[in-house]
Amino acid sequence: MPQLNVSKITTISHHIDAEQALHPKATGDFTGLMNDLTLAIRIIARDVRRAGLNDILGLTKSTNVHGEQVRKLDLYANDVLKATLSKGGHLCALASEEDDEMVLIDVANKKKAKYVIVFDPLDGSSNIDVNVTIGTIFSLYKRIDAQTDECPTEADIIQPGYKQAAAGYALYGSSTIFAYTTGHGVHLFTFDPTIGEFMLTKENVRIPQKAPYYSCNEGYYNRWDEGFKQYVDYLKMPDEDSGRPYTSRYIGSAVADIHRTLLKGGIYMYPADTKSPNGKLRIVYEANPLAMIIEQAGGRASDGKNRILEIKPEKIHQRTPLILGSKEDVFECEMFMRGEHPSQKK
Ligand code: P6P
């Protein structure tokens, strides 16, 4: 049995309590909310890991607001999150990729609740049927007006990403990982099923400033604009000084591709293309939380021009192009997209 270094026993509850202490006006709501969230994640992880044994694979008969067929596991994860998060009394509203509209949480008794949460309950769920890593992505915001007795509105949900109180994801891979930030660095936890706890495995994660990995769906090459095509072509051209050719890695679950990028560096790209003129990923519950994680680790996240966290969403399910990862790699990609890279000068 491997020897556990007892000085290193930090559960996620210990860590969240310590994070809460960094926010002087904290009232314990945040801690309670995060404990409700990690409970939901433990339940989802249990059932994701038994997919195939339980009747949870395959499609439902419904399609979501995006016209995508909803998978049983998407709906299940969504229901678990909404049920668990609604009980704690810390939230006044939520929004999910799986729900057309925002959901008010029993406002009569909890209208004083000051947080809202947005999430993608199961990102990459098309991969579940082939046992590939998927995940849950979330963002927490304080209500715009924490004093009001009024019902929360959509304005509380579509705040710009720099207003996030916390953001992160769970990854259902070879182990169950939980990553989060409250603006004081990125911290990783691994679930230990033998004790039912998320244990701290890495604090203050830092992304390399540059690394030879790129992640995008090259099947769409002919849909991309010229500058982006030239960037990906450039990454594949051999050049020892700049570490090219880069290695291609694409799982097809953004949360998994971006977790690898966080740890190894490089660049993840889902740009606009002729089929998805605004990109595919949703800004509120995918791009913003993932961008906060990458920025807190020292990286950069943009739509190819603008910092993701400064974009003001107009609607809950708004899409955005997403280019994120190592700062130097993202800056170089943006230069190509402006047509200003030296290698583009004829
Ligand atoms: P494509 C999964 O459906 C998702 O939203 C992201 O997790 C993933 O990166 C992307 O779509 C994959 O999209 O068009 O490459 O299959």
Side-chain angles (χ1 to χ4, degrees), residues 123-124 217 220 250 252-255 257 268 270 280-282 286:
D123 174 64
N217 187 334
Y220 302 156
Y250 192 69
S253 290
V255 61
D257 280 314
Y268 170 88
Y270 205 112
K280 178 179 182 184
L281 298 179
R282 272 56 63 131
E286 290 173 325

Side-chain angles (χ1 to χ4, degrees), residues 190-319:
T190 301
F191 184 61
D192 181 342
T194 63
I195 55 173
E197 283 285 0
F198 276 103
M199 305 303 286
L200 179 66
T201 41
K202 197 166 176 58
E203 257 194 322
N204 297 312
V205 178
R206 302 302 291 168
I207 186 172
Q209 287 301 290
K210 187 172 174 47
Y213 303 98
Y214 75 100
S215 183
C216 60
N217 187 334
E218 293 201 64
Y220 302 156
Y221 183 88
N222 292 312
R223 294 181 193 160
W224 294 339
D225 76 29
E226 215 34 54
F228 191 74
K229 281 182 185 174
Q230 290 168 5
Y231 176 61
V232 175
D233 292 341
Y234 168 81
L235 294 182
K236 296 195 268 192
M237 271 186 266
D239 174 84
E240 218 163 298
D241 294 347
S242 57
R244 288 180 288 142
Y246 273 24
T247 296
S248 170
R249 289 283 182 274
Y250 192 69
I251 300 166
S253 290
V255 61
D257 280 314
I258 292 167
H259 182 68
R260 181 199 57 249
T261 304
L262 170 70
L263 298 183
K264 300 190 77 168
I267 187 166
Y268 170 88
M269 303 165 279
Y270 205 112
D273 62 36
T274 49
K275 181 175 174 242
S276 313
N278 298 312
K280 178 179 182 184
L281 298 179
R282 272 56 63 131
I283 186 163
V284 170
Y285 41 77
E286 290 173 325
N288 271 337
L290 296 168
M292 182 174 184
I293 288 280
I294 291 293
E295 283 202 359
Q296 280 293 311
R300 175 172 170 78
S302 82
D303 61 3
K305 283 195 290 284
N306 314 296
R307 182 177 173 235
I308 289 287
L309 297 186
E310 286 174 7
I311 297 172
K312 173 69 188 75
E314 300 303 320
K315 37 193 203 304
I316 292 177
H317 300 295
Q318 179 173 323
R319 296 177 191 268

Side-chain angles (χ1 to χ4, degrees), residues 88-108:
H90 310 294
L91 282 165
C92 60
L94 64 83
S96 163
E97 182 191 38
E98 296 304 333
D99 292 299
D100 300 0
E101 311 292 333
M102 68 184 281
V103 175
L104 296 184
I105 295 173
D106 185 12
V107 182

